[in-house]
Amino acid sequence: MRAVQLETHGGPDVLEVVDADRPDPGSDELLLEVAAAGINPVDTYFRDGSYEPVSLPFTPGVDVSGTVVETGDAVEGFEPGDRVFGTGIGNATAQGSYAEYATIPTDRVVHLPDGVDATQAGAAGVATVTAWRALIDHAALDPADYCLVHGGSGGVGHAAVQIAAAVSARVLTTASPDYHDALADLGAETVLDYGREDLADAVLEASDGGVDAILDHRLDDYLQFDADVAATGARVVGIGENSPDPGFTNDGAARSKDVNYQFMSMFNTPDLRVPLRGVAHLLETDNLSIEIAETYGLEEAGEAQRAVMEDSVFGKLVIEP
Ligand SMILES: NC(=O)c1ccc[n+]([C@@H]2O[C@H](COP(=O)([O-])OP(=O)(O)OC[C@H]3O[C@@H](n4cnc5c(N)ncnc54)[C@H](OP(=O)(O)O)[C@@H]3O)[C@@H](O)[C@H]2O)c1
C-alpha cells in the first residue's frame, strides 16, 4: 500500500510517500481502507518531535474515516464493509491514517450513520471531540448560557460553534471578517472581529455583562481577557497556546467572579466512543457539518501540514488517499 512516512523529525519536507506493508489488525483492532484523514496541528507536533516520542519510521494522521476490511480475532460489533470514523491514532501508541489502509483499536472508532459524508467524518475527529469534551463535559454547557468560542473559523472553533448552538446556548465567536457570515449560518448569534480594539466591551455588551463558558485555543493571548469578560461562576476551557507562558496581569478579575479554569488534552478522553457517538448523531441530524476547505492526495501531505499551521482556512483540511 501507499503510505506517508517520516524517517526523521523535521519540517513538512520530511514527509514522503513510500510502499509499505498493509498492516495486520491486532486482536481488538479494525483494518480500514482509508476514505479520509483529517489534518490537525497536532500532526505537525508529532512530526517535528515536539510531542511525545513516536517510533520511527512513522505514519502521521490522528483522524480517520473508512471502510472495515478485516477485523481482529476479539472484535465484536464490526463487520467487513462497515463504514466507520474515529480518532486517537497516529501517536506514540499507533501508526496513523495518512495511508491507503490503517488499523484502529475498537475503543477509538464508531459506526458512521448512513448518509453522512465520509470526507467530513474523516476530518471530524480531533476537532469535534475536543469541542465536545470542552463544552459538554468540562464546561457543562446549558441552553441559557452565553458561550464564547475564540477563533470560530478554525477546525475546533467551527465545530464548537455548532455544538454550542446544538444545545441552544447563545453563541458568541470571534473570527476574521471574511468568515462572519458563514459563522452566523452555523449558529453563532454574535460574530466579532478578533482584531478589534474594543473586543472585551463588545463581548460584554452582547452577553448581558459576561459570558458563562469560554473555549480558548490561545491562552497566552486570552487568559486575562477571559477573566475580564467572564460572568460569575464562568467556566473557561483552555486547549492551546502559541507560547507556553500564559499569565494574568490581574488575577483578581478571575478570583472575584469564582471563574473555573480547566485545561485539557483530547488524548485524555476516558472513552473516545462517547463523544464520537454524539458527533455521529449531530452529523446525522444535520446539527453539525464539517467544512472542508481543501482536500489533498498523499503526495501533498507536507503541503497540507504546512497549510494547517500557516494559512487562514475555514474549517478543515483533509487527505483523501
Ligand atoms: N488540547 C487539545 O486537546 C487540542 C485539541 C485540538 C486542537 N488544539 C489546539 O488548538 C489550537 C487550534 O486548533 P485548530 O485545529 O482549530 O487550528 P486551526 O484550524 O488552525 O484554527 C486556528 C484558528 O485560530 C484563529 N486565530 C488566529 N489568530 C487568532 C487570534 N488572535 N484570536 C482568535 N483566533 C485567532 C484562526 O483564524 P484566522 O484564519 O483568521 O487566522 C483559525 O480560525 C491549536 O493550537 C491546536 O494545537 C488542542
Side-chain angles (χ1 to χ4, degrees), residues 41 45 126 130 151 153-156 174 176 179 194 217-218 221-222 239 264-266 308 312-313:
Y45 314 150
V126 167
T130 302
S153 62
V156 177
T174 66
S176 300
Y179 306 126
Y194 60 67
H217 69 307
R218 295 169 75 103
D221 286 336
Y222 294 118
I239 65 163
M264 61 157 278
S265 165
M266 186 212 75
V308 79
S312 176
V313 297

Side-chain angles (χ1 to χ4, degrees), residues 219-225 244-251:
L219 288 161
D220 44 334
D221 286 336
Y222 294 118
L223 190 69
Q224 182 65 49
F225 178 96
D245 58 353
F248 291 108
T249 51
N250 171 19
D251 73 296

Side-chain angles (χ1 to χ4, degrees), residues 260-276:
N260 297 285
Y261 285 85
Q262 168 78 53
F263 296 165
M264 61 157 278
S265 165
M266 186 212 75
F267 290 101
N268 295 328
T269 304
D271 184 347
L272 286 163
R273 292 168 296 188
V274 176
L276 284 170

Side-chain angles (χ1 to χ4, degrees), residues 175-196:
S176 300
D178 282 355
Y179 306 126
H180 286 200
D181 291 347
L183 285 164
D185 289 345
L186 293 184
E189 268 185 21
T190 303
V191 189
L192 301 165
D193 183 353
Y194 60 67
R196 60 190 278 177

Side-chain angles (χ1 to χ4, degrees), residues 126-144:
V126 167
T128 58
V129 170
T130 302
W132 184 287
R133 287 284 292 157
L135 298 180
I136 305 300
D137 295 348
H138 291 310
L141 208 53
D142 89 36

